[in-house]
Amino acid sequence: ILNVEQSPQSLHVQEGDSTNFTCSFPSSNFYALHWYRWETAKSPEALFVMTLNGDEKKKGRISATLNTKEGYSYLYIKGSQPEDSATYLCAPRTGNQFYFGTGTSLTVIP
Amino acid sequence: NAGVTQTPKFQVLKTGQSMTLQCAQDMNHNSMYWYRQDPGMGLRLIYYSASEGTTDKGEVPNGYNVSRLNKREFSLRLESAAPSQTSVYFCASSPYGGADTEAFFGQGTRLTVV
């Protein structure tokens, strides 16, 4: 079992605000770090997969960075929109297992 | 374009009853997983199957059994349901190989044990 921590647990922002969340994980035995987006009443969907220290990935207004040496990843959302409201999960993957954090619940207020 | 299909979507059981949750994927993935999701607990791994013919326990296997029937199907069985097994259950699959391959999730089964 891997100890994966995500912060904050929940976040309310105004439409147009930029925001970021953190995922912390043990830096040893690292293979890959996954971010998933989980909308209410749906199933989680993959956002990013990062494997290398210093990796940065971007998809539209959402981006992520990875620091494997210190064991953390940041997810950034620029100019939040109501459709960004969801829970964002991070999951380090070692071998065949994904170790999911409890997620950051984002609510974007119009 | 089915992806990962779970049945049923909803189920209510009485304590002590048994049932099997079905999961099938049509993406030719080798690895399949069963998770449960409880408030404040995130997704916890119950069992997984790295490839056809193998299964391994995850974080919370007690009270559950699994069967990897073939490459497509991975079922989860509750032999004697307990109220503590009230949860939302997700099946997922992933290609076998590099850790950079993502997981694909089914729509979930909401199970209530009364």
Side-chain angles (χ1 to χ4, degrees):
Chain A
I1 298 173
L2 229 57
N3 186 26
V4 181
E5 295 184 359
Q6 290 189 247
S7 62
Q9 190 173 5
S10 67
L11 200 52
H12 290 72
V13 301
Q14 292 291 135
E15 182 175 352
D17 286 352
S18 293
T19 187
N20 65 85
F21 341 123
T22 305
C23 171
S24 301
F25 53 89
S27 55
S28 58
N29 296 321
F30 176 81
Y31 283 9
L33 192 285
H34 295 243
W35 279 99
Y36 288 82
R37 184 170 181 272
W38 192 359
E39 292 182 69
T40 301
K42 294 189 177 180
S43 51
E45 291 185 348
L47 271 176
F48 302 116
V49 181
M50 294 179 287
T51 57
L52 300 175
N53 185 44
D55 251 354
E56 289 189 34
K57 295 279 176 120
K58 187 173 182 182
K59 189 180 289 187
R61 294 176 291 96
I62 304 177
S63 61
T65 61
L66 177 66
N67 183 322
T68 59
K69 292 184 178 178
E70 297 182 40
Y72 65 84
S73 176
Y74 294 139
L75 188 80
Y76 302 92
I77 303 179
K78 185 177 178 182
S80 303
Q81 298 297 307
E83 57 266 29
D84 295 329
S85 296
T87 296
Y88 292 83
L89 300 172
C90 72
R93 182 173 181 179
T94 64
N96 258 305
Q97 292 197 44
F98 297 83
Y99 296 89
F100 286 90
T102 53
T104 293
S105 173
L106 173 67
T107 303
V108 182
I109 304 162
Chain B
N1 231 21
V4 180
T5 303
Q6 288 182 236
T7 54
K9 287 187 169 49
F10 301 94
Q11 184 71 49
V12 178
L13 286 179
K14 292 183 179 179
T15 297
Q17 285 186 317
S18 62
M19 81 160 294
T20 300
L21 280 62
Q22 307 286 354
C23 176
Q25 52 90 11
D26 62 2
M27 295 173 284
N28 202 36
H29 287 170
N30 285 294
S31 300
M32 297 185 75
Y33 309 83
W34 276 106
Y35 292 92
R36 59 178 289 174
Q37 187 249 331
D38 303 292
M41 302 291 285
L43 287 167
R44 292 185 293 168
L45 183 64
I46 304 171
Y47 271 93
Y48 70 101
S49 172
S51 59
E52 187 179 353
T54 68
T55 59
D56 286 287
K57 294 179 181 179
E59 182 184 352
V60 288
N62 290 345
Y64 305 96
N65 285 303
V66 290
S67 295
R68 183 75 184 265
L69 305 170
N70 47 55
K71 193 171 186 180
R72 289 186 65 248
E73 299 172 286
F74 188 39
S75 62
L76 179 72
R77 183 160 178 84
L78 287 70
E79 291 291 351
S80 178
S84 59
Q85 294 178 304
T86 293
S87 187
V88 182
Y89 292 84
F90 286 94
C91 177
S93 71
S94 179
Y96 185 82
D100 58 348
T101 52
E102 65 191 74
F104 294 81
F105 286 83
Q107 291 298 307
T109 296
R110 185 173 293 275
L111 175 67
T112 303
V113 183
V114 297

